[in-house]
């Protein structure tokens, strides 16, 4: 529980804990991409450094704020699902990131499911809900 509180305070703007962090979340790093192969729920804000790749049978539920680095994207492969539940996807440095890409193979597409009006900001290819 204490680790969760520390992480929470590190992601909130204006907190003394956030001021202690190395500000590396603006630069893209392909080596730090995240691959989702199972069902995963994100409830706490994150500053990511690379892409998100959702593989076949992978499901990512985002219920929070996610800061994507410039030129990064979320790729949903065929048979994968991205579920945005009131999520906010943006670039914390006010730079452009590429957005969400639903990949298709043999007539099967990656899936995007939205609930509770998600927000997508600073995306080169935004989606309209």
């Amino acid at each position: 529980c204490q680790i969760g509180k520390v992480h929470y305070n590190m992601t909130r703007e204006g907190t003394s804990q956030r001021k202690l962090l190395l500000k590396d979340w603006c630069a893209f790093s392909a080596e730090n991409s995240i691959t989702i192969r199972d069902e995963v729920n994100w409830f706490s804000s994150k500053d990511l450094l690379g892409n998100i790749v959702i593989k076949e049978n992978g499901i990512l539920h985002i219920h929070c704020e996610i800061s994507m680095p410039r030129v990064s994207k979320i790729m949903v492969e065929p048979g994968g699902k991205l579920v945005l539940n009131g999520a906010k996807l943006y670039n914390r440095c006010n730079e452009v990131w590429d957005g969400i890409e639903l990949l298709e193979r043999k007539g099967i597409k990656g899936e995007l499911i939205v609930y509770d009006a998600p927000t997508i900001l600073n995306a080169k290819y935004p989606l309209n809900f």
Side-chain angles (χ1 to χ4, degrees):
C1 187
Q2 289 177 346
I3 291 173
K5 289 180 182 180
V6 170
H7 281 269
Y8 174 73
N9 285 319
M10 286 181 173
T11 60
R12 290 184 35 228
E13 289 293 337
T15 62
S16 57
Q17 294 89 341
R18 183 147 184 94
K19 293 175 186 170
L20 299 172
L21 297 177
L22 175 65
K23 296 178 181 169
D24 62 353
W25 51 80
C26 292
F28 176 77
S29 169
E31 302 83 44
N32 288 300
S33 293
I34 295 173
T35 302
I36 305 294
R37 298 180 191 283
D38 300 309
E39 188 162 2
V40 178
N41 281 278
W42 286 353
F43 290 100
S44 61
S45 298
K46 298 174 185 346
D47 295 317
L48 301 184
L49 303 175
N51 295 316
I52 299 173
V53 180
I54 303 171
K55 296 290 199 180
E56 181 181 11
N57 299 319
I59 304 171
L60 175 58
H61 300 263
I62 302 177
H63 307 265
C64 56
E65 291 187 8
I66 301 295
S67 174
M68 300 293 295
R70 68 175 173 267
V71 307
S72 67
K73 59 185 161 182
I74 300 173
M75 294 171 279
V76 185
E77 293 187 358
K81 292 181 186 176
L82 173 62
V83 182
L84 301 178
N85 195 339
K88 178 180 177 183
L89 306 176
Y90 68 110
N91 175 282
R92 191 178 293 277
C93 305
N94 290 317
E95 297 176 327
V96 176
W97 64 288
D98 282 356
I100 299 169
E101 187 176 357
L102 302 175
L103 302 173
E104 183 175 1
R105 187 175 37 235
K106 297 180 183 178
I108 300 171
K109 265 185 133 173
E111 211 175 322
L112 173 64
I113 301 167
V114 297
Y115 299 104
D116 197 21
T119 304
I120 300 176
L121 303 171
N122 310 95
K124 186 176 183 179
Y125 302 107
L127 298 170
N128 297 316
F129 302 107

